[in-house]
C-alpha cells in the first residue's frame, strides 16, 4: 500500500478562523508551556472570549499564603471497611477553611497576558468589533499561528510561535500602524486569587495589586526581565525586542512602544521559574525550530487517512483525528500529567486527575509516540513515597495513587475523589505499553517499582468474602460512574475487570524480572467476583440492579470492561446486549467526552464497525469538536482533553486492531465499502 502523504493530510485540516468564536481560540505550545491567542494572534481582547486566553506552564504553580496547611491538618472521616475504620479527607466538617485551602492549593498560575493595543488616528482605543477582514490560520505542520486583519484601513499581520524546547514565545508584527504610533504592546500580570468555584476556578482573572509584586529589571533599552513574586513563589519573564521602549502603566501593567522607524516589530518573551535560566533566542530561531519540530512530529509516529471514504462523516472524523494529535501534543505530553483543560486555563484549580491520565496519554503509545507517554510516567516514581504513605496510613501495603493532585502528589480533600479506585491499575498499563514499545531489561528496571507497588496495593484492597468464596472490591468505594454512595457500592463491573488485568500484567512483570509469581495474586485473579448482571445486561455495580432505571446517567462504565479492557471476565453476548441497551436508554446528555470513544471501543471489539463510527460522530453537545480541535463539554469546560485522547485511542484500536482480535484490515470500522481506512505507524491495543 502506498504511504500516506502526511503533509497533504495535515494541511487540509489547518484551523482557519475568520470571525470571533468566543469558545475556540488557538494555541501554540510545546507540552511544557502554552500560549492561547485571540483573533489578533495575541491576548488583546480577552473580555470578548468565554474561554480564557491562558499563558500556562508545567512549572508555574502557586500556594496562596505559602505553605499554610498539610494533609495532616485536614478534617478526616472514617469509613467502615470490612471490620476496620479507614479515614479519608471526605468533607469540610468543622475545618472548612483547611478543607478548601488544601483543595485549592497548589493551583496553576496564569503567567501573564500579552496583547496588542490598537488606536485610531484620533487616539481612541480600537475594539474587537472594529477589526475587519480578519483571517487567522494555525499551520499545524509548522506550529505557527498567522493572524491578519484591517484596522482603519491599515493592515496588521501577527506571527506567533513557540520554541519546542524552551518556554519562549516569538512574536512578529507587520503594520503601517507601527510607524504611525498607533500599535503598541501590552504586557500585564494578574494575581492568583482563588475562589470556591470548581470548574471555573480561574476563568475570571484577578488584578489586585496588593497580593503580588512585579519588578522590571532593565538590561538594555530593548531588553530586561520581569521578576514576579506571589507569597513564597517567584518566577521570571524575560523580554527583548528590536526597537522601542517600555513604559509602566500600573503596578503590574506595562506598555512596549515600538520605534517609528519601521513597519515591523519583533519581540521574544521567555518564561521560567525563579531558579531557571533561558538562552535568549531570536524570533527567526524560534520560528525555524517550531517548523522543524512539528514537521518531525507529523512525519514520525502514526497516521490515519480517511480520504476516499464515501461516508459523509469521514472528513469530520479525519479532522478530529488530526487536530486531536496536535492539541494532545501541546497539552498532554509534558513532564506532569495534564489537567483536563491542559495548559489552556484552570479547571479544578489547575490540578490533574489521575483517573483521567489514561485518557490523556495512552494513545501516544498506540500512535508510535511512547516517548511522550514516558515523560509524565516518570512523575509516578517521583511521588511513589507519597503514594506508599497514603496506602500505609490507610492500613494497606504498596502504593495507593491519589486522584486530584498537584505536582507534589498530595491528594486533595474531596467528597468523591479519594474513594475512587480505578486509577490504581493505570500506571501498570502505562508501564506495559512502554514495555511493548521497547521490550528490554532497562524498561523493566525503570518501571518495576511502579508496577509492583501498584499491584501490592490492589491485591491487599481485594477483600476475601468467606461466605461467598470470592474476592470483592468495596465497600466503601466510588466507581467510575461517580453518582453512587461509597458505603453502598461494591463490585463495580469495570473495576473488577481492571483489577484482573492489572494483577495479570504485574505477574508477567515479576516473571520477566526473574521473580516467582505470587500465589496470592493468582488466587485473587481466579476468585475475583464475577461481573454483576441483571436482566441479561451488565450493571454499574453489584448493589445497583436497577442501573438502567434509576442511574442511566454519567459514565456507562460497564462498557469499558469489554472495549477499553480485553473482557476476560465478560460474556460477549451479554456485553452486546449491554451496549445496545446503553445506546437505547442511556441519558447521553449527562455523559462526558470520553464516553463516546469508550463505547466505540466496545462496539469495535464486538465487530460492529458501523455502530463504532456512529458513536464517535454522535450528535451530542459533549461530543462537539470545536474549530480549534478541542472537545467541548459545557460553558465552564470548553476544552476537555480526555475526549481528544480517547478519540485517538479508539481510532487506533479500530484501525490497527487489538490482541487476539480478527486478522482483518481496520476491524473496528464498517466493512460495507463506505469507509476507506489507510493507516501506518500504529500499534495494536491490548
Amino acid at each position: 500500500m502506498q504511504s500516506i502523504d502526511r503533509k497533504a493530510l495535515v494541511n487540509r485540516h489547518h484551523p482557519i478562523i475568520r470571525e470571533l468564536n468566543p469558545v475556540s481560540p488557538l494555541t501554540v505550545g510545546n507540552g511544557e508551556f502554552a500560549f492561547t491567542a485571540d483573533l489578533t494572534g495575541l491576548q488583546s481582547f480577552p473580555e470578548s472570549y468565554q474561554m480564557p486566553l491562558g499563558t500556562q506552564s508545567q512549572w508555574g504553580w502557586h500556594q496562596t499564603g505559602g505553605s499554610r496547611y498539610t494533609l495532616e491538618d485536614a478534617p478526616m472521616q472514617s469509613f467502615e471497611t470490612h471490620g476496620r475504620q479507614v479515614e479519608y479527607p471526605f468533607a469540610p466538617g468543622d475545618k472548612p477553611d483547611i478543607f478548601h485551602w488544601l483543595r485549592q492549593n497548589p493551583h496553576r498560575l496564569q503567567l501573564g497576558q500579552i496583547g496588542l493595543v490598537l488606536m485610531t488616528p484620533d487616539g481612541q482605543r480600537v475594539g474587537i468589533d472594529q477589526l475587519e477582514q480578519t483571517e487567522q490560520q494555525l499551520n499545524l505542520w509548522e506550529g505557527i499561528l498567522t493572524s491578519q486583519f484591517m484596522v482603519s484601513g491599515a493592515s496588521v499581520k501577527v506571527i506567533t510561535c513557540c520554541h519546542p524546547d524552551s518556554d519562549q514565545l516569538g512574536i512578529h508584527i507587520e503594520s503601517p500602524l507601527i510607524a504611525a504610533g498607533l500599535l503598541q504592546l501590552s504586557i500585564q500580570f494578574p494575581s492568583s486569587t482563588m475562589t470556591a468555584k470548581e470548574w471555573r476556578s480561574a476563568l475570571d482573572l484577578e488584578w489586585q495589586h496588593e497580593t503580588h509584586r512585579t519588578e522590571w529589571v532593565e538590561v538594555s533599552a530593548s531588553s530586561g526581565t520581569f521578576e514576579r513574586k506571589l507569597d513564597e513563589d517567584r518566577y521570571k519573564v524575560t523580554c527583548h525586542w528590536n526597537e522601542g521602549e517600555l513604559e509602566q502603566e500600573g503596578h503590574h501593567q506595562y506598555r512596549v512602544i515600538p520605534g517609528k522607524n519601521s513597519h515591523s516589530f519583533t519581540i521574544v518573551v521567555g518564561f521560567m521559574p525563579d531558579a531557571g535560566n533561558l538562552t535568549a533566542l531570536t524570533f527567526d530561531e524560534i520560528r525555524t525550530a517550531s517548523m522543524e519540530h512539528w514537521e518531525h512530529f507529523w512525519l514520525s509516529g502514526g497516521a490515519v487517512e480517511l480520504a476516499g471514504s464515501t461516508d459523509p462523516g469521514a472528513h469530520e472524523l479525519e479532522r478530529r483525528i488530526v487536530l486531536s494529535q496536535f492539541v494532545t501534543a501541546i497539552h498532554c505530553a509534558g513532564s506532569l500529567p495534564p489537567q483536563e483543560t491542559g495548559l489552556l486555563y484552570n479547571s479544578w484549580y489547575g490540578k490533574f486527575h489521575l483517573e483521567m491520565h489514561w485518557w490523556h496519554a495512552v494513545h501516544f503509545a498506540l500512535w508510535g509516540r511512547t516517548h511522550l507517554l514516558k515523560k509524565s510516567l516518570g512523575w509516578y516514581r517521583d511521588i511513589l513515597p507519597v503514594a506508599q504513605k497514603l496506602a500505609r496510613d490507610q492500613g494497606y501495603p504498596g502504593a495507593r495513587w491519589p486522584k486530584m493532585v498537584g505536582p507534589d502528589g498530595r491528594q486533595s480533600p474531596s467528597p468523591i475523589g479519594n474513594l475512587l479506585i480505578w486509577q490504581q491499575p493505570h500506571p501498570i498499563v502505562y508501564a506495559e505499553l512502554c514495555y511493548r514499545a521497547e521490550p528490554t531489561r532497562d524498561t523493566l528496571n525503570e518501571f518495576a517499582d511502579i508496577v509492583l507497588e501498584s499491584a501490592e496495593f490492589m491485591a491487599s484492597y481485594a477483600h476475601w468474602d468467606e461466605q461467598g468464596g470470592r474476592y470483592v472490591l468495596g465497600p466503601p468505594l466510588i466507581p467510575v460512574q461517580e453518582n453512587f454512595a461509597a458505603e453502598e457500592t461494591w463490585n463495580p463491573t469495570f473495576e473488577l475487570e481492571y483489577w484482573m488485568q492489572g494483577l495479570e500484567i504485574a505477574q508477567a512483570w515479576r516473571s520477566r524480572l526473574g521473580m516467582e509469581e505470587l500465589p496470592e495474586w493468582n488466587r485473587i485473579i481466579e476468585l475475583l467476583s464475577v461481573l454483576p448482571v441483571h436482566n441479561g445486561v451488565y450493571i454499574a455495580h453489584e448493589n445497583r440492579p436497577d442501573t438502567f432505571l434509576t442511574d442511566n446517567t454519567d459514565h456507562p462504565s460497564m462498557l469499558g470492561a469489554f472495549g477499553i479492557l480485553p473482557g476476560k471476565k465478560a460474556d460477549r453476548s451479554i456485553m452486546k446486549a449491554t451496549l445496545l441497551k446503553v445506546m437505547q436508554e442511556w441519558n447521553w446528555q449527562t455523559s462526558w467526552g470520553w464516553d463516546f470513544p469508550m463505547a466505540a471501543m466496545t462496539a469495535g471489539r464486538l465487530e460492529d464497525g458501523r455502530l463504532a463510527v456512529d458513536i464517535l460522530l454522535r450528535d451530542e453537545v459533549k461530543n462537539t469538536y470545536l474549530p480549534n480541535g478541542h472537545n467541548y463539554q459545557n460553558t465552564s469546560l470548553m476544552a476537555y482533553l480526555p475526549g481528544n485522547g480517547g478519540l485517538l485511542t479508539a481510532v487506533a484500536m479500530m484501525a490497527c486492531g487489538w490482541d487476539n482480535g480478527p486478522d482483518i484490515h481496520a476491524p473496528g470500522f464498517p466493512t460495507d465499502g463506505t469507509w476507506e481506512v489507510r493507516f501506518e505507524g500504529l500499534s495494536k491495543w491490548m
Side-chain angles (χ1 to χ4, degrees):
M1 181 181 293
Q2 186 176 3
S3 63
I4 295 171
D5 184 342
R6 296 193 177 202
K7 189 170 186 178
L9 167 64
V10 173
N11 284 352
R12 60 177 172 260
H13 297 294
H14 295 325
I16 299 176
I17 309 292
R18 294 190 173 90
E19 59 185 15
L20 174 65
N21 188 327
V23 298
S24 190
L26 299 172
T27 302
V28 295
N30 58 23
E32 298 294 319
F33 169 85
F35 178 86
T36 300
D38 62 18
L39 268 175
T40 68
L42 298 174
Q43 299 162 338
S44 311
F45 302 102
E47 68 281 353
S48 297
Y49 281 75
Q50 295 174 36
M51 183 183 288
L53 306 179
T55 307
Q56 293 198 333
S57 70
Q58 299 288 11
W59 50 262
W61 293 80
H62 175 57
Q63 292 200 139
T64 303
S67 303
R68 188 179 299 173
Y69 301 113
T70 68
L71 195 60
E72 283 68 31
D73 301 314
M76 306 294 283
Q77 287 76 39
S78 293
F79 286 80
E80 198 283 327
T81 307
H82 305 294
R84 65 187 184 90
Q85 296 296 314
V86 177
E87 291 190 329
Y88 298 87
F90 181 78
D94 60 354
K95 300 178 180 178
D97 291 345
I98 297 175
F99 181 93
H100 293 297
W101 188 92
L102 288 169
R103 191 162 174 77
Q104 296 172 12
N105 290 280
H107 48 265
R108 203 182 295 265
L109 279 171
Q110 162 67 314
L111 298 173
Q113 197 173 83
I114 306 168
L116 295 179
V117 178
L118 301 165
M119 292 167 286
T120 62
D122 61 359
Q124 299 298 310
R125 189 155 181 174
V126 171
I128 196 170
D129 57 333
Q130 295 172 269
L131 306 186
E132 299 177 334
Q133 300 179 37
T134 55
E135 180 168 309
Q136 184 177 51
Q137 176 176 285
L138 177 57
N139 187 312
L140 302 172
W141 191 261
E142 299 177 347
I144 293 176
L145 179 62
T146 302
S147 311
Q148 301 182 78
F149 52 92
M150 301 288 291
V151 175
S152 302
S155 64
V156 180
K157 180 179 180 180
V158 180
I159 301 173
T160 315
C161 49
C162 178
H163 194 276
D165 301 312
S166 179
D167 297 347
Q168 297 190 63
L169 194 69
I171 302 165
H172 178 73
I173 306 167
E174 298 175 6
S175 176
L177 295 177
I178 296 173
L182 301 177
L183 185 154
Q184 300 172 359
L185 200 71
S186 169
I187 301 176
Q188 51 188 336
F189 302 96
S191 60
S192 183
T193 303
M194 285 287 97
T195 71
K197 300 171 184 175
E198 278 289 349
W199 296 344
R200 296 175 63 95
S201 60
L203 297 198
D204 305 313
L205 296 179
E206 299 284 349
W207 299 94
Q208 302 175 27
H209 69 82
E210 303 91 348
T211 61
H212 55 129
R213 191 181 75 199
T214 305
E215 291 186 3
W216 170 251
V217 180
E218 185 174 277
V219 175
S220 70
S222 58
S223 68
T225 299
F226 293 105
E227 295 185 349
R228 296 276 293 137
K229 183 177 186 296
L230 302 91
D231 296 308
E232 297 174 4
D233 301 306
R234 292 174 170 81
Y235 68 96
K236 296 182 289 191
V237 180
T238 64
C239 300
H240 62 90
W241 53 88
N242 57 342
E243 182 183 1
E245 58 184 19
L246 182 79
E247 291 186 357
Q248 184 168 357
E249 292 187 297
H251 286 90
H252 310 285
Q253 297 171 316
Y254 296 79
R255 187 82 62 93
V256 180
I257 303 173
K260 297 182 180 180
N261 298 321
S262 173
H263 283 199
S264 67
F265 175 74
T266 300
I267 185 171
V268 172
V269 185
F271 298 80
M272 68 187 120
D274 186 51
N277 287 293
L278 289 178
T279 300
L281 301 171
T282 66
F283 171 82
D284 288 338
E285 289 173 328
I286 294 173
R287 178 169 56 179
T288 298
S290 176
M291 295 169 66
E292 292 175 349
H293 167 80
W294 284 105
E295 181 178 47
H296 178 265
F297 173 85
W298 292 113
L299 289 175
S300 61
V304 172
E305 184 175 47
L306 303 176
S309 302
T310 58
D311 190 291
H315 181 81
E316 171 59 15
L317 182 57
E318 187 184 86
R319 182 188 77 90
R320 296 182 183 190
I321 293 168
V322 170
L323 287 171
S324 291
Q325 290 178 79
F326 185 81
V327 300
T328 55
I330 285 179
H331 296 289
C332 303
S335 53
L336 297 176
Q339 64 171 318
E340 294 184 2
T341 46
L343 296 171
L344 287 160
Y345 67 92
N346 281 3
S347 54
W348 287 277
Y349 312 107
K351 296 184 180 183
F352 27 96
H353 294 188
L354 293 191
E355 86 281 15
M356 287 294 98
H357 193 196
W358 190 102
W359 295 100
H360 288 286
V362 297
H363 66 89
F364 288 130
L366 304 187
W367 286 76
R369 300 181 178 117
T370 308
H371 64 287
L372 298 183
L373 168 63
K374 289 180 70 174
K375 286 175 67 176
S376 55
L377 181 53
W379 174 83
Y380 286 84
R381 184 181 304 101
D382 294 340
I383 71 148
L384 182 59
V386 179
Q388 289 171 320
K389 183 179 186 303
L390 176 59
R392 188 167 60 250
D393 288 348
Q394 296 178 351
Y396 299 106
R400 181 169 192 170
W401 305 107
K403 194 267 196 202
M404 175 180 164
V405 297
D408 58 4
R410 186 228 342 126
Q411 64 176 337
S412 301
S414 169
I416 293 176
N418 298 319
L419 286 148
L420 285 181
I421 64 168
W422 67 289
Q423 72 271 32
Q424 302 308 323
H426 283 355
I428 298 176
V429 171
Y430 308 151
E432 181 70 6
L433 289 170
C434 291
Y435 183 77
R436 286 166 67 119
E438 191 175 354
T440 65
R441 185 76 188 190
D442 286 344
T443 303
L444 292 174
N445 291 336
E446 187 174 3
F447 301 118
D449 52 356
I450 293 174
V451 170
L452 300 182
E453 288 296 292
S454 299
E456 189 70 25
F457 167 78
M458 290 171 59
S460 67
Y461 186 88
H463 176 74
W464 175 247
D465 173 16
E466 188 68 40
Q467 184 175 356
R470 61 177 186 161
Y471 284 93
V472 299
L473 302 181
L477 66 80
I478 301 287
V480 175
Q481 190 180 348
E482 295 178 356
N483 49 347
F484 298 110
E487 306 94 320
E488 301 171 2
T489 302
W490 59 86
N491 283 339
T493 299
F494 177 80
E495 284 83 344
L496 284 171
E497 182 71 32
Y498 207 8
W499 238 244
M500 178 180 181
Q501 185 193 46
L503 290 175
E504 285 186 337
I505 294 173
Q507 287 285 46
W509 273 63
R510 289 185 63 87
S511 297
R512 294 166 186 162
L513 289 163
M515 305 166 68
E516 293 184 358
E517 290 188 357
L518 292 178
E520 178 192 359
W521 292 6
N522 284 335
R523 186 170 186 265
I524 295 170
I525 292 168
E526 179 185 357
L527 298 177
L528 202 59
S529 297
V530 299
L531 305 187
V533 177
H534 183 72
N535 288 340
V537 296
Y538 290 114
I539 54 178
H541 62 89
E542 188 175 308
N543 194 33
R544 213 57 162 199
D546 293 331
T547 294
F548 287 91
L549 293 176
T550 60
D551 295 287
N552 57 342
T553 59
D554 198 59
H555 307 296
S557 59
M558 64 289 295
L559 297 181
F562 190 73
I564 295 173
L565 304 175
K568 292 184 179 181
K569 296 177 70 64
D571 179 277
R572 187 183 184 91
S573 62
I574 296 175
M575 187 58 75
K576 185 172 184 178
T578 305
L579 175 61
L580 295 177
K581 194 170 184 67
V582 167
M583 299 311 301
Q584 293 166 3
E585 300 183 16
W586 207 260
N587 184 353
W588 283 98
Q589 290 79 12
T590 67
S591 297
W592 295 83
W594 57 266
D595 290 321
F596 301 94
M598 176 179 69
M601 292 174 76
T602 303
R605 209 181 281 266
L606 290 169
E607 299 175 44
D608 191 340
R610 169 52 57 190
L611 181 56
V613 296
D614 286 349
I615 294 171
L616 285 184
L617 294 169
R618 186 180 174 94
D619 185 15
E620 299 284 352
V621 171
K622 290 187 177 180
N623 199 35
T624 299
Y625 284 74
L626 298 169
N628 60 10
H630 282 284
N631 178 210
Y632 177 92
Q633 301 297 286
N634 52 44
T635 56
S636 294
L637 209 51
M638 292 162 282
Y640 190 60
L641 288 154
N644 296 99
L647 172 79
L648 294 175
T649 302
V651 168
M653 173 183 168
M654 291 162 61
C656 193
W658 52 93
D659 292 352
N660 303 313
D663 188 19
I664 60 174
H665 178 76
F669 279 88
T671 57
D672 58 6
T674 59
W675 286 79
E676 183 177 319
V677 182
R678 303 175 65 219
F679 66 89
E680 56 193 31
L682 301 181
S683 297
K684 284 185 176 182
W685 181 233
M686 295 182 181

